[in-house]
Amino acid sequence: FAQTAPYGREVPLPLPPATSPAVRHFSPDLACGDDQCLVAWTSINEGERFSYEIRGARVSKSGDLIDKTSFLIATGSMNTTPPQVVALATDYVVLYSGIVYARIGRDGVVKSRDLKTSISTDIGSVTEAAAVGGSILVYSVQKLCTLGPYVTRLAEVIKAVR
């Protein structure tokens, strides 16, 4: 994430520090509401083999960090897919590990995690997600099917509409 400096030059904005130098961050995604954004990423601790986490931090629209440290959204495994963040009217939804998701309030508090939709067993990974009106559109790929991408419309309460 970067702030825009005078003359359009970007100034890097570091994410909140990790607790260990052995932690690497990758596969970030972000979504913005009216006044702030949530960025989520996959974090792996190379000191603890197969220790994957989905972490997050809030950023103001002016590009300033709101959270001094990152917060845990969910724990994962080697099969954890990159997070996809969607900004809704009152909170954020972060999809990960197929179509498992967490809800994060605008205050940065994780309201619930490791929730599943009614189509979770069909989904191998979510490649992209976006809020459209009161629904979430997800572009995903079916498990065990190399040519099976499809788009699913989920109601904001995260029930499959298709």
Side-chain angles (χ1 to χ4, degrees):
F1 207 85
Q3 290 178 314
T4 303
Y7 311 108
R9 199 179 107 237
E10 290 185 350
V11 178
L13 178 69
L15 293 174
T19 55
S20 164
V23 174
R24 290 187 307 128
H25 304 292
F26 57 96
S27 301
D29 191 38
L30 87 126
C32 297
D34 292 337
D35 60 343
Q36 66 179 352
C37 303
L38 175 69
V39 60
W41 62 91
T42 304
S43 175
I44 180 170
N45 186 335
E46 293 182 346
E48 297 175 27
R49 206 163 169 205
F50 304 116
S51 174
Y52 287 75
E53 296 178 337
I54 304 296
R55 300 201 65 85
R58 294 172 304 137
V59 179
S60 72
K61 287 274 187 123
S62 62
D64 298 316
L65 283 171
I66 297 171
D67 301 304
K68 299 295 180 209
T69 61
S70 65
F71 54 87
L72 178 68
I73 294 173
T75 57
S77 68
M78 188 171 65
N79 298 322
T80 299
T81 57
Q84 295 295 317
V85 184
V86 178
L88 300 175
T90 59
D91 58 1
Y92 298 97
V93 169
V94 178
L95 299 138
Y96 56 94
S97 293
I99 198 161
V100 177
Y101 68 95
R103 291 189 90 100
I104 294 93
R106 297 289 174 155
D107 57 0
V109 174
V110 178
K111 297 178 180 181
S112 54
R113 62 172 52 97
D114 296 332
L115 302 170
K116 295 181 181 180
T117 72
S118 58
I119 59 169
S120 295
T121 56
D122 297 339
I123 302 288
S125 65
V126 171
T127 306
E128 190 64 48
V132 179
S135 298
I136 298 171
L137 285 179
V138 295
Y139 175 80
S140 52
V141 179
Q142 288 180 302
K143 288 182 180 176
L144 307 173
C145 182
T146 57
L147 299 174
Y150 59 97
V151 173
T152 303
R153 184 169 58 98
L154 305 172
E156 191 170 308
V157 292
I158 316 294
K159 296 292 181 196
V161 176
R162 283 204 186 196

